[in-house]
Amino acid sequence: MRIKILIPSLILLLCIGLTDANAQRNKYKRRKAKNRAMSNYTSRGGGRFRQFNFVSFNVNALNYYGDLAPVNRAASTDVSFTRPGFGAEIGARFNPYMAVRAGFNYGRLKGDDITSDYNDENAYGRYLRNLSFRNDIKEFHIGMQFSLLPIWGGPNVRPDFNVYAMIGAAVFHHEPKGKVPEYDHTLGGDVESNYTQYPVAQAGEWVRLRKLGTEGQLIDSLDVKGYSPFQFSVPLAIGATMRLPGPFNLSVELGYRYLFTDYLDDVSGSFVRYDLFDDDLARIMSDRSAEPTAVWQEVPRDGFPGAVGQQMPDGTTYYSARGYGGGLAGDKGRGNPDDNDMMFMTTVKLTMILGQVRRSAKFR
């Protein structure tokens, strides 16, 4: 009888012991997993990565290098022509190291031959040419951003400082414009009348140079291809970003646009002989070398050597800067078609992370 009672009691005690041991083992496993997660959190910056979206607003400054650069040296530009612009972006971080972003930028480019040094023999030809332009750039872009430091913990655990690089694709609209002079100096004038015999009806207006065909794009007898106001580019950039309180980051970015056009400034190829133009305004805007002043800066050209006239096949005497050629010769000195223009964009950007951003946990 005692044995019958003892055996079930031992089995019951064994089951209770096994159950308690299993519970202790599970508790240990949970504690170990928790400690591992906390270790990952503190050592890697946030544990499991979480995707997040963001929106950015920026101010930018555009600079240009091309045929109207003051110095014949790659990437040289005149910082005094820098003009402010603006932009906005949306993006998504889908990887600790990578994000995709897309947005819009607006800015203005400017160039003027008056900035070339007429005492420099390498720049004197550009000074005589006396061309100028402005161009409003409207750009839509998409790109991939690669961060140096990972963002393991999503938006709630971001590095205080990070650097990144970006590459993408863009399409932009541009329309180079020139300011019309008060008088038509291609028809000459004399010192006594201050060269004012031939006033221009559109004086002071900013006209679209592409529509005029200043390099003969609209002249049937010339084989000069026009250019589109819509162009593609490859944006490249490097930047640094700093974490701000709350859901904000502040970034500074230096960008370069690899272009496929040489007509940001409406200058690329050759001059056209004056007598080939049917449009008087196109003739005036094609060769500005006979003008004694820089029309945009409204300052006299101290290095201006005076103009020389020549009768053309249409029976009219036209004028260009002495020793220059230009519209009198129809030579190739207007631009350099071998190199495309360059565009640089410097950006200061405020980024806001979308969604809930909490304070980082503290461990004791």
Side-chain angles (χ1 to χ4, degrees), residues 68-105:
L68 270 66
V71 180
N72 189 22
R73 184 175 62 248
S76 68
T77 187
D78 191 328
V79 295
S80 67
F81 287 165
T82 303
R83 293 294 180 270
F86 60 86
E89 284 184 331
I90 57 173
R93 180 165 289 278
F94 59 90
N95 179 281
Y97 292 92
M98 293 185 291
V100 60
R101 58 190 237 196
F104 169 82
N105 282 312

Side-chain angles (χ1 to χ4, degrees), residues 267-328:
V267 178
S268 179
S270 303
F271 282 104
V272 177
R273 281 200 350 246
Y274 288 134
D275 60 301
L276 297 180
F277 284 106
D278 293 327
D279 186 339
D280 291 340
L281 186 58
R283 183 191 70 245
I284 293 169
M285 303 301 288
S286 70
D287 182 357
R288 313 290 295 271
S289 65
E291 299 174 22
T293 61
V295 66
W296 196 350
Q297 305 291 336
E298 296 183 347
V299 296
R301 296 204 292 153
D302 296 335
F304 178 57
V308 60
Q310 177 180 318
Q311 189 177 52
M312 306 295 283
D314 65 353
T316 303
T317 298
Y318 297 99
Y319 290 79
S320 185
R322 181 176 290 112
Y324 187 55
L328 294 181

Side-chain angles (χ1 to χ4, degrees), residues 1-11:
M1 184 69 180
R2 291 180 179 178
I3 294 177
K4 293 180 178 180
I5 296 173
L6 181 61
I7 291 175
S9 299
L10 291 174
I11 294 173

Side-chain angles (χ1 to χ4, degrees), residues 93-263:
R93 180 165 289 278
F94 59 90
N95 179 281
Y97 292 92
M98 293 185 291
V100 60
R101 58 190 237 196
F104 169 82
N105 282 312
Y106 167 82
R108 172 171 289 180
L109 299 176
K110 177 181 176 181
D112 196 330
D113 279 337
I114 193 64
T115 61
S116 297
D117 183 3
Y118 60 84
N119 292 312
D120 182 351
E121 63 178 12
N122 294 321
Y124 186 56
R126 291 192 296 277
Y127 184 87
L128 286 182
R129 185 178 55 184
N130 194 36
L131 295 176
S132 59
F133 82 101
R134 75 181 190 193
N135 198 342
D136 293 334
I137 306 296
K138 283 84 70 176
E139 176 198 75
F140 290 94
H141 62 270
I142 185 169
M144 290 292 298
Q145 180 172 307
F146 304 90
S147 299
L148 178 64
L149 302 178
I151 302 179
W152 287 107
N156 294 307
V157 184
R158 291 166 282 145
D160 292 332
F161 180 82
N162 209 343
V163 295
Y164 63 88
M166 188 276 293
I167 184 172
V171 60
F172 65 94
H173 177 271
H174 76 116
E175 194 70 79
K177 295 181 178 181
K179 188 177 181 181
V180 179
E182 190 172 2
Y183 302 101
D184 181 1
H185 294 278
T186 67
L187 293 179
D190 52 54
V191 177
E192 289 75 15
S193 63
N194 197 26
Y195 306 100
T196 61
Q197 287 99 321
Y198 304 100
V200 182
Q202 301 94 330
E205 296 181 12
W206 287 91
V207 296
R208 289 182 289 181
L209 299 172
R210 181 180 61 89
K211 292 287 189 178
L212 295 176
T214 56
E215 293 191 348
Q217 293 94 337
L218 304 181
I219 299 175
D220 294 336
S221 61
L222 301 179
D223 186 19
V224 181
K225 186 178 179 180
Y227 60 92
S228 172
F230 293 95
Q231 298 289 336
F232 292 98
S233 72
V234 178
L236 303 168
I238 56 173
T241 183
M242 180 178 65
R243 179 176 178 173
L244 299 179
F248 299 104
N249 286 340
L250 182 66
S251 304
V252 176
E253 183 175 294
L254 303 178
Y256 166 73
R257 300 302 190 262
Y258 182 86
L259 304 179
F260 301 92
T261 181
D262 191 31
Y263 278 107

Side-chain angles (χ1 to χ4, degrees), residues 332-349:
K332 297 183 178 181
R334 196 169 193 266
N336 178 13
D338 296 331
D339 298 314
N340 289 334
D341 295 330
M342 300 181 185
M343 183 165 61
F344 306 91
M345 184 179 297
T346 304
T347 301
V348 177
K349 182 185 307 183

